[in-house]
Amino acid sequence: MAGPRTLTLPEVQKGQALPELAYDVTATTVVLGALASRDWRPMHHDKDFAQQRNGVRDIFLNTPNQAAWFERYLTDWSGPAGRLGRMRFRMRDSVFPGDRMVFQGQVEDVTVDDAGCGFAEVTVKLAVGDRLCTECAARIALPRTEGDNPWKRKGPDWQP
Amino acid sequence: MSDPTTAAADLPDEVRGWLGKKRYETEGEFDVERGYVFTTCASVENGNPLFWDEKTANDLTDGWIAPPTMISVWFRPHFWAPGRTGIAQPLQVHFDLKEKLGLPEAIMTDNTIVFREPVRPGDRLRTWQVLRSVSEPKRTKLGLGRFWVIDVEYVNQHGESVGTETYTGFGYRRES
């Protein structure tokens, strides 16, 4: 059986769009994500608290779980040989049960560093309808050839 | 790691003394384990074979690893522990700044994570926090407050860096 699909750097160009991911968020999505990230704060599982103390309409996705969503989105695209080097995100609005969240990504640049490691610089927007909720900029290493493996890099050969 | 430390001229001496200093160094309460990896992957429907298929994990990463974005999960205190009094807070420097600067409200405006050595089941990680900067007072639509930058460093039991998180927070007081 063939191994898992792996994207290589030569297949990636600046301006390229990543496949869109849409997901219908439920209360279970929010609570499972909070518990998976050991975030016990009530605004992520208690609707009354979220409404009365935070002044929002419902419980909402927490930050660490959003990071996990961005990772999933990026590695769905890259395949398992893709190695995240850096991720920066900025929250602008909340994601609630009943929202259909949509991830859209674009390659902003393709580079090879001094150690010979190939990277794609990608921006991802998480939106609900016209509402931009979170922006993410990620640097993900991709194999330059089929035999290359960014995960083998250590020390000075890994400059994320 | 963030840029070298910077601070507003009017900061209290105690807060100024925190700049660039390692604080709250601690070891994780438990070994990195696959149960949480599965729960995290399930929460976002992450089917990356690195976390589900042993051959792929062996071929690419010399064995199982945890999803890189789980880096802070291994340090969040549990909801309850015997003998603990009060609420255990992750990112304690952030809460210290709110208290010492008299800023009751705060938000995180920006989060950057740099990933280095992979985290593996069985690892016991250590972490500490470093305050990098505190701004002059600034007025935003939320209120009057200050921005601050905190680095959270993570290392494994071999002393290798597994990553750094950098948080930008804004502590403020609402204006009526």
Side-chain angles (χ1 to χ4, degrees):
Chain A
M1 192 173 87
R5 179 191 61 82
T6 283
L7 189 69
T8 58
L9 200 68
E11 299 174 79
V12 178
Q13 294 90 37
K14 183 176 178 178
Q16 184 177 328
L18 278 64
E20 184 177 292
L21 170 67
Y23 192 87
D24 292 318
V25 175
T26 67
T28 303
T29 314
V30 175
V31 173
L32 180 57
L35 298 190
S37 50
R38 297 168 62 89
D39 188 342
W40 326 111
R41 291 176 299 163
M43 64 282 261
H44 303 304
H45 63 259
D46 182 339
K47 184 174 181 176
D48 286 345
F49 185 99
Q51 290 177 334
Q52 291 163 22
R53 292 287 297 278
N54 295 96
V56 293
R57 73 168 201 252
D58 207 335
I59 58 175
F60 52 94
L61 275 188
N62 73 339
T63 304
N65 193 240
Q66 287 202 28
W69 274 106
F70 282 115
E71 177 179 349
R72 176 253 162 117
Y73 177 70
L74 289 162
T75 55
D76 275 2
W77 170 68
S78 71
R83 180 178 179 183
L84 267 179
R86 181 179 291 257
M87 180 185 279
R88 176 179 185 178
F89 50 97
R90 180 167 288 187
M91 324 279 283
R92 297 191 177 276
D93 207 337
S94 300
V95 180
F96 301 107
D99 284 346
R100 182 173 181 79
M101 61 178 178
V102 176
F103 294 82
Q104 292 177 310
Q106 179 170 302
V107 177
E108 300 296 339
D109 204 0
V110 178
T111 60
V112 176
D113 69 14
D114 294 345
C117 186
F119 284 96
E121 311 283 346
V122 180
T123 53
V124 184
K125 291 182 178 174
L126 188 180
V128 174
D130 294 335
R131 189 160 54 87
L132 176 62
C133 295
T134 308
E135 292 175 294
C136 170
R139 176 171 161 83
I140 183 168
L142 299 173
R144 295 178 64 189
T145 63
E146 285 197 11
D148 186 20
N149 178 5
W151 289 104
K152 298 291 185 189
R153 293 180 172 273
K154 287 177 72 81
D157 290 333
W158 178 240
Q159 300 170 15
Chain B
M1 199 165 77
S2 306
D3 294 336
T5 58
T6 57
D10 62 341
L11 272 188
D13 288 345
E14 183 179 5
V15 173
R16 185 179 299 281
W18 298 343
L19 286 158
K21 301 273 172 37
K22 246 188 201 189
R23 300 187 71 216
Y24 299 109
E25 182 166 3
T26 186
E27 188 173 80
E29 291 178 343
F30 61 102
D31 293 350
V32 173
E33 47 104 335
R34 293 188 69 211
Y36 265 111
V37 170
F38 292 141
T39 307
T40 292
C41 287
S43 75
V44 297
E45 301 183 11
N46 184 350
N48 187 338
L50 275 186
F51 314 122
W52 301 95
D53 179 71
E54 191 163 21
K55 182 176 185 312
T56 302
N58 287 337
D59 288 349
L60 287 176
T61 52
D62 298 323
W64 298 116
I65 64 168
T69 54
M70 288 186 73
I71 193 165
S72 63
V73 169
W74 313 112
F75 293 96
R76 286 207 192 88
H78 221 307
F79 185 70
W80 175 90
R84 181 192 297 157
T85 56
I87 300 169
Q89 303 269 29
L91 207 59
Q92 186 62 51
V93 170
H94 172 77
F95 294 95
D96 291 350
L97 286 164
K98 285 177 65 180
E99 183 190 341
K100 294 295 178 191
L101 297 174
L103 300 170
E105 315 292 338
I107 58 162
M108 288 299 176
T109 62
D110 205 279
N111 180 205
T112 300
I113 319 174
V114 178
F115 306 102
R116 297 191 183 89
E117 279 301 297
V119 173
R120 298 175 183 279
D123 280 354
R124 181 65 73 96
L125 305 182
R126 295 189 69 77
T127 184
W128 59 85
Q129 302 162 39
V130 180
L131 176 63
R132 292 291 168 197
S133 66
V134 182
S135 77
E136 304 282 347
K138 291 184 188 296
R139 180 165 276 112
T140 74
K141 64 181 180 182
L142 292 171
L144 182 63
R146 295 176 191 263
F147 286 92
W148 49 71
V149 176
I150 302 167
D151 279 347
V152 183
E153 301 286 349
Y154 300 97
V155 299
N156 62 21
Q157 64 276 23
H158 308 299
E160 299 167 316
S161 173
V162 297
T164 305
E165 281 193 285
T166 301
Y167 291 92
T168 302
F170 179 64
Y172 63 97
R173 182 175 289 280
R174 285 195 185 114
E175 294 177 298
S176 51

